[in-house]
Amino acid sequence: MPQQPLSMSEKKKQKRAAILKAAIKVFSEKGFAETTIAVIAKEARVSFGTVFTYFETKEILYEKAVLEPLDEIKPYFLKVDDYFSGTPLEKIQQMIETHVDLFSERSEFLRLIQQVLGRPERFPKLFEELDLFVDDFVNIISPTIEEGQRQGVFYEETPALMAQSYLAILNGMRLTYINESTHSLWNALTVQALRLFGPIIKN
Amino acid sequence: MPQQPLSMSEKKKQKRAAILKAAIKVFSEKGFAETTIAVIAKEARVSFGTVFTYFETKEILYEKAVLEPLDEIKPYFLKVDDYFSGTPLEKIQQMIETHVDLFSERSEFLRLIQQVLGRPERFPKLFEELDLFVDDFVNIISPTIEEGQRQGVFYEETPALMAQSYLAILNGMRLTYINESTHSLWNALTVQALRLFGPIIKN
Amino acid sequence: MPQQPLSMSEKKKQKRAAILKAAIKVFSEKGFAETTIAVIAKEARVSFGTVFTYFETKEILYEKAVLEPLDEIKPYFLKVDDYFSGTPLEKIQQMIETHVDLFSERSEFLRLIQQVLGRPERFPKLFEELDLFVDDFVNIISPTIEEGQRQGVFYEETPALMAQSYLAILNGMRLTYINESTHSLWNALTVQALRLFGPIIKN
Amino acid sequence: MPQQPLSMSEKKKQKRAAILKAAIKVFSEKGFAETTIAVIAKEARVSFGTVFTYFETKEILYEKAVLEPLDEIKPYFLKVDDYFSGTPLEKIQQMIETHVDLFSERSEFLRLIQQVLGRPERFPKLFEELDLFVDDFVNIISPTIEEGQRQGVFYEETPALMAQSYLAILNGMRLTYINESTHSLWNALTVQALRLFGPIIKN
DNA sequence: CATGAATGAGAGTTCATTCAT
DNA sequence: TATGAATGAACTCTCATTCAT
């Protein structure tokens, strides 16, 4: 019986989640302007009025649809030491594999981020958020890069630039490539990303 | 009298060019959906009715606005031997510098390409065009890469992948970085791009 | 135990009254169309679902919200002999003072009535009710007017018209004036209203 | 031929006027909130899109629909000396007749003004306008009232109050009365209004 | 050719009302 | 009985496109 109110709010949470999931899907495919609330509602199997019950405006829904996936991938970028271990080279290698995997399985992440990066004046708040995320990533990853540099396996480059060029290549990975699940392609891309850090000879 | 129709068509060409230029600017900033013909017309200093005199629909105008810049940058990707010379390493280095320069000065190129790449189902024709462009680039650049590999200065990687990862990092370069005209940043990015081809130690 | 249902219905009555009071306030300020049930509910400190428990539709709630204040002021218009005494002039003078006071303290009365009078086709039932009220007032007040006429202190005018012009001036009193609680203004207005009945020289 | 451009703008003016006329009609009947642009468009026999060609928003259209009639009636209130002549009593009498006539023939004036007066917070700009209009009227009419007072035919009352009570009775005149075109009723109302100024005995 | 008025499909948003809990 | 989530009709406003001038 004490679960009763919980199950109530549980149902609401589920519906909210369903709408958000639908929004992420549709927004990532069609962008903000060409997405209609009606389509999101249909995808979420609710009436379009219900969308407004959970999200006040389309704009707010978009923000949530961007920030929620961002929060989901954040740990894989910011908790490097929790997820990856070994030598700096090994850690970076694991990280890259994880990131490529992440985007290959949930390409919406990439699309939404690209949409925001392409329109900084249109989505200033979200852009700012991404900017901070980049800064955080740079700060988190720098010590590992520096250690690798001391070990002589990474280039003597400012860690910030190395991190940013890595994000650039990640970001620039074409969704069409990504969605092709040819493992050999991923491996190759991973190696190429790694080469931004140090001179890697595949064996 | 025979000049009359010529000067007329000259005037018309100029007007058409003004509209297209305005369209490139506005589309690159606001994307297809959030751009209105009225704004393009204002930017081009013509009435919005005139836009339709030169371009049948908004859709067609967008196509031209994407393809024209694409044609403009094509030579710098496809006529590698005309523009760049020296050893493979030198050629690739010159090429990268040229491309980064190109995007840093006219970031609309990058924006428009990213818009199309982010919506392949929405702009199938344009996407196809970009796809062909990538293929062409890969074919053009491969001999140079292979020669570099034979000389032992480039990684032993399939040239296609190297070319594609290069395009990825170019594409992923953030417009905000790009627009900052700090030369040191460009140089650094150039070096990082070069590292996708071979192990480069800055001196 | 027999009190239980009584106290229950007491509680219900209080809640109903709270909602009606809130409705009167909000409807008088915002009119029918721009009032939302949600705002009334908030004002009454109940959930908006509860409003529908007590009043089937917004339309019905509006009717009650108009008629209840009307019933509240009715005695002051229709029970002239109960409230006022003395010569016809004295009675009318007292009446006017009472009416001006009434509207000055609870301007919602005036607002709601004006809303209905301004939209006879929209609120036919309520308009009819007001019409009957006017007729009743005319009938009630006529004997006093006629007596005053016999005494030579009132104009020789059809009592109906005198009553109606009096209602007109009452109705036309601007709420902004009314809400300013300068007593001198009220007195002056009272005198002016009185002058519709007979030639009054202030001393 | 020089008329050509004139006739163009003439046509536009006519269409604009048709829309405004329709707006005045519908707004006066249904109020702001319950009026839809579609109905105004239908009444004006244009597509509803055309309404927005001439008036940016519904709000702006309402403002024009209130202010234009106001401007139309203003002269009859503010140019007293141009329209009326004779003794103060005669002038005021003519004025009242004119005003009652005005409202009896174009009752929209009255309705629109009442709507604004009933919602000062909702229509602050329009309310302010009406306030200024009242002030102007008071200033204009005061000399005539004062002269009448010197002649002993008007009450010794502050002219401002006399003017305001006159506006009150005008404003409070019920549209149902007004629209009944029984001349005897108008005459009677005119006399009653006059009695706010001085003790009038009908003969 | 150039212009911009006219049109109406289509989108976001509001809100009365219903009804399951 | 009280609540508030769900619904969808209805409204305002935008804007590509057409076409008369």
Side-chain angles (χ1 to χ4, degrees), chain A:
Chain A
M1 285 304 252
Q3 253 71 4
Q4 209 64 18
L6 261 178
S7 77
M8 278 242 297
S9 83
E10 202 55 38
K11 219 177 222 172
K12 276 175 60 181
K13 263 182 194 157
Q14 279 185 344
K15 194 158 270 188
R16 203 195 113 102
I19 293 169
L20 196 58
K21 192 182 163 192
I24 290 167
K25 181 172 188 292
V26 182
F27 277 136
S28 72
E29 282 168 8
K30 297 193 188 296
F32 178 78
E34 293 187 26
T35 293
T36 69
I37 297 288
V39 168
I40 292 174
K42 201 173 185 180
E43 177 78 27
R45 293 171 182 277
V46 299
S47 89
F48 78 85
T50 302
V51 175
F52 288 98
T53 305
Y54 289 89
F55 302 92
E56 295 170 70
T57 64
K58 187 186 176 186
E59 200 86 24
I60 286 171
L61 177 55
Y62 186 70
E63 279 177 21
K64 307 286 185 192
V66 171
L67 293 180
E68 211 244 9
L70 187 64
D71 281 342
E72 220 174 299
I73 63 168
K74 263 184 180 171
Y76 300 101
F77 283 81
L78 303 182
K79 301 212 166 174
V80 173
D81 292 321
D82 291 12
Y83 287 100
F84 316 116
S85 58
T87 65
L89 182 63
E90 284 166 353
K91 282 170 77 173
I92 297 290
Q93 189 163 15
Q94 289 164 35
M95 180 190 77
I96 295 172
E97 273 170 22
T98 302
H99 292 168
V100 173
D101 255 40
L102 199 64
F103 285 150
S104 85
E105 275 174 34
R106 305 202 41 193
S107 55
E108 313 119 31
F109 288 167
L110 207 43
R111 291 232 198 199
L112 289 168
I113 287 167
Q114 286 173 352
Q115 286 171 20
V116 174
L117 290 177
R119 309 274 321 269
E121 310 85 10
R122 177 65 183 79
F123 305 114
K125 190 180 148 193
L126 293 172
F127 187 81
E128 169 78 2
E129 201 82 29
L130 288 178
D131 240 16
L132 293 174
F133 172 60
V134 169
D135 286 350
D136 286 347
F137 174 68
V138 168
N139 289 331
I140 294 287
I141 205 69
S142 286
T144 302
I145 294 175
E146 283 159 357
E147 204 190 324
Q149 290 171 332
R150 276 192 297 275
Q151 293 181 5
V153 297
F154 286 167
Y155 292 120
E156 288 295 335
E157 193 67 70
T158 60
L161 182 88
M162 293 176 79
Q164 283 164 355
S165 62
Y166 167 63
L167 291 180
I169 206 171
L170 263 192
N171 230 310
M173 289 193 317
R174 274 181 50 199
L175 299 160
T176 38
Y177 295 165
I178 291 279
N179 288 338
E180 291 172 24
S181 35
T182 41
H183 266 271
S184 63
L185 182 65
W186 297 355
N187 278 336
L189 278 169
T190 306
V191 170
Q192 283 302 85
L194 202 51
R195 282 176 173 147
L196 295 169
F197 294 90
I200 305 300
I201 310 297
K202 265 203 313 191
N203 45 357

Side-chain angles (χ1 to χ4, degrees), chain C residues 17 31 40 45 81 83 86 126 175 189:
Chain C
I40 292 174
R45 295 169 182 278
D81 292 322
Y83 286 99
L126 293 170
L175 298 161
L189 277 171

